Amino acid sequence: MKVVTILGRIAKNEKFGIPIYKYDEKLAEQYSLKRERYINMLPLLIDNFGAQNVVPIFTKLAKEAQTKVLMEEFHAEYNEIFDDRNFIDDEKDFYKILRIINDATSGNEEYIIDLSHGFRHIPILATISLISQSLNNTNKIKHIFFAKEKVPYKNYEIIDLKEYLELANMSYVLESFNHNYTVALVSKFKNKNFRDLASQLSTISNHILSNSLKALNNDISKILNNIDFILKNEQIETFKSSLEDIRQHIMELQRIGVEKDSTKFYKMSRILTPKGYLLNAITLLFEAIGYYCAESFECFGDDIKTHINNFKKSKEFNAYDLTHESRTFVKRMKLRGEVYLTEDGGMAYTSIQKKLKSIKALSNFGDFIKDAEKLRNNLAHGNANERIEDSKQELSRLLDKYNSFCIQQNILGNKI
């Protein structure tokens, strides 16, 4: 395990003497110091973790100051720990400093990074590096040491800032989910509640982006309970707003989940469209049309309802066939005035035909189904014919038409 430390120019204070260092309660459960007094963190790290494991990042002036400190502490300069690859020759070259820090903390082994005495902006750059690296894997960062001043120049408590890194990572997870339903962070959180929440959000994301709306309902209660528990934690103030936004949205998904299928698919299509998931959204809208037609047919008469219920109970039943046949029936009535028949259920389909013929605006509704099918096919085959922005506008127009035909007008008389 490496211990990377950002060197400063803190030397022995002749007025106050050598300060006392101790670990906080959490770190004290894992480590103990060989002695309590050190001039600064560099000799403390060398004495307790071994010089061969300490990797200083340093400027010319910092090295000169710390070489004197080491001579006073150990009567040795420890020149072997000062690797030229970790030398900052230009304190204003932020990109080079970031590269040095990234290189020093690269690799697969665990490391501790100490930010206690770094010079001005360098610890800030180190923090940026840590956050960016931890988005891929926070496991290799064992601790982030910081010597917290308890009594100026006299007493320091070494604390672990890694929990704050987890807060930053959790904030990133929440913002990503809020923005586009993705959970890009694959690292494991040390905090169990954060770990569970990230996993649950990932599951919800998979359900939404695979259009598995029924499976979605199974996980919502668990995630709401976990969010409520995390909201009680005072430390989450940095991302409390994002968490509350997600909670409200998850509750919205929960309410959508208990609505009839046509409404459920339509509302989810509305949600996914502005996030840019156009193929998912048009697929859901196309299914919403099919469910709307099927639900409406059940309202046309008892014989039709019985026929559909028998079909639902049969071994051959699947929802796709029901929505496809119902949607196709309406579309074909518009195109050629034909009856869409299967081998059985002829009387039911005749009744459907009779009812549909009585609807004056059915032709317009059929055109709407054709337009939705055209956009779905176009997006499913690589959007070869239209620009994405054109498709987005067309999808929004179709959503508005669905709202007009199926909700406001309820053109087929769906009473379910």
Side-chain angles (χ1 to χ4, degrees):
M1 180 173 64
K2 294 192 298 184
V3 183
V4 179
T5 181
I6 314 295
L7 295 191
R9 294 163 60 185
I10 297 176
K12 182 179 179 181
N13 190 306
E14 298 298 335
K15 179 179 179 181
F16 295 100
I18 299 176
I20 293 173
Y21 285 85
K22 68 174 183 178
Y23 289 117
D24 70 0
E25 289 184 8
K26 291 182 180 179
L27 288 175
E29 293 176 358
Q30 302 178 59
Y31 307 102
S32 59
L33 294 174
K34 291 183 178 180
R35 51 191 168 95
E36 65 175 16
R37 292 188 180 273
Y38 294 92
I39 295 175
N40 63 36
M41 283 293 287
L42 179 60
L44 182 151
L45 295 174
I46 290 174
D47 197 27
N48 290 277
F49 292 92
Q52 71 278 8
N53 297 315
V54 176
V55 181
I57 295 175
F58 56 95
T59 63
K60 180 176 181 294
L61 293 177
K63 179 182 177 181
E64 291 175 355
Q66 296 313 311
T67 299
K68 293 178 182 178
V69 167
L70 295 176
M71 280 296 297
E72 185 163 356
E73 288 271 16
F74 304 120
H75 306 293
E77 293 183 343
Y78 285 95
N79 286 320
E80 69 275 13
I81 70 174
F82 295 100
D83 190 325
D84 287 342
R85 290 174 297 180
N86 302 320
F87 171 56
I88 299 172
D89 58 354
D90 184 356
E91 297 166 14
K92 297 179 181 179
D93 190 342
F94 285 14
Y95 290 106
K96 186 175 181 181
I97 294 172
L98 273 172
R99 179 181 58 76
I100 292 171
I101 295 169
N102 288 341
D103 289 346
T105 55
S106 64
N108 296 321
E109 61 184 305
E110 283 188 330
Y111 66 87
I112 295 171
I113 186 162
D114 169 48
L115 302 177
S116 298
H117 302 306
F119 180 70
R120 289 202 301 263
H121 53 274
I122 297 176
I124 297 174
L125 294 175
T127 303
I128 293 171
S129 173
L130 288 173
I131 291 173
S132 63
Q133 289 188 56
S134 70
L135 294 178
N136 294 318
N137 182 13
T138 191
N139 291 331
K140 68 177 185 177
I141 306 171
K142 190 168 181 64
H143 303 291
I144 303 172
F145 283 171
F146 182 76
K148 180 180 178 181
E149 193 174 64
K150 303 286 285 185
V151 179
Y153 307 108
K154 291 184 177 182
N155 199 312
Y156 293 88
E157 182 180 53
I158 303 170
I159 63 174
D160 187 1
L161 298 179
K162 186 181 176 181
E163 64 179 277
Y164 296 97
L165 186 63
E166 291 214 334
L167 292 176
N169 287 342
M170 194 69 238
S171 181
Y172 176 77
V173 167
L174 296 176
E175 286 301 317
S176 296
F177 184 86
N178 262 340
H179 182 66
N180 57 15
Y181 287 136
T182 58
V183 183
L185 189 65
V186 295
S187 62
K188 294 180 180 178
F189 287 96
K190 193 173 182 180
N191 183 299
K192 182 181 183 303
N193 296 114
F194 292 177
R195 187 168 65 246
D196 289 346
L197 180 57
S199 176
Q200 290 163 347
L201 288 175
S202 180
T203 300
I204 293 287
S205 172
N206 291 336
H207 290 331
I208 292 173
L209 299 184
S210 63
N211 293 344
S212 302
L213 303 190
K214 292 184 179 178
L216 178 65
N217 291 338
N218 299 331
D219 298 286
I220 283 182
S221 294
K222 293 179 182 178
I223 196 170
L224 286 175
N225 289 338
N226 199 22
I227 288 174
D228 287 341
F229 184 83
I230 293 175
L231 281 170
K232 297 175 183 177
N233 185 346
E234 295 179 356
Q235 293 179 324
I236 58 90
E237 194 63 38
T238 53
F239 57 78
K240 185 177 181 180
S241 177
S242 296
L243 195 55
E244 288 178 337
D245 287 344
I246 286 181
R247 185 179 184 277
Q248 291 301 316
H249 186 56
I250 295 294
M251 290 177 68
E252 180 186 7
L253 296 179
Q254 189 177 49
R255 290 190 293 270
I256 291 173
V258 297
E259 297 203 56
K260 59 187 178 184
D261 288 327
S262 59
T263 303
K264 181 192 310 179
F265 280 78
Y266 163 70
K267 287 186 175 181
M268 285 304 301
S269 179
R270 276 280 187 198
I271 288 172
L272 288 176
T273 297
K275 295 182 183 295
Y277 296 111
L278 303 187
L279 180 56
N280 292 69
I282 187 58
T283 301
L284 290 173
L285 178 61
F286 202 55
E287 288 305 302
I289 296 169
Y291 276 113
Y292 173 75
C293 293
E295 292 165 2
S296 298
F297 289 174
E298 290 189 55
C299 303
F300 286 0
D302 291 340
D303 57 334
I304 301 170
K305 186 173 184 177
T306 299
H307 173 66
I308 292 176
N309 284 338
N310 288 338
F311 177 48
K312 289 180 178 179
K313 294 175 183 177
S314 68
K315 294 180 180 179
E316 293 78 19
F317 171 75
N318 64 70
Y320 173 80
D321 286 342
L322 176 64
T323 57
H324 172 73
E325 288 190 17
S326 301
R327 186 176 50 240
T328 303
F329 197 126
V330 176
K331 183 180 69 172
R332 288 194 177 186
M333 282 289 296
K334 187 271 169 190
L335 292 177
R336 295 190 295 271
E338 295 179 358
V339 182
Y340 186 74
L341 293 173
T342 57
E343 293 181 1
D344 60 349
M347 290 182 63
Y349 279 93
T350 300
S351 298
I352 294 174
Q353 182 192 40
K354 183 178 179 181
K355 174 65 176 178
L356 291 177
K357 282 183 176 181
S358 70
I359 299 174
K360 294 180 180 180
L362 186 68
S363 177
N364 294 333
F365 187 56
D367 286 336
F368 162 65
I369 295 175
K370 271 188 69 178
D371 290 344
E373 186 172 28
K374 178 183 176 182
L375 181 59
R376 187 204 61 171
N377 293 341
N378 191 35
L379 289 173
H381 293 89
N383 196 41
N385 299 323
E386 298 181 41
R387 296 186 303 115
I388 289 295
E389 284 305 312
D390 293 337
S391 297
K392 199 169 188 177
Q393 290 177 9
E394 175 65 5
L395 181 50
S396 296
R397 185 182 70 84
L398 291 171
L399 285 164
D400 289 340
K401 280 201 167 187
Y402 181 96
N403 181 56
S404 176
F405 279 124
C406 305
I407 298 176
Q408 294 181 1
Q409 298 178 44
N410 191 12
I411 188 171
L412 300 185
N414 184 346
K415 298 177 182 178
I416 293 179

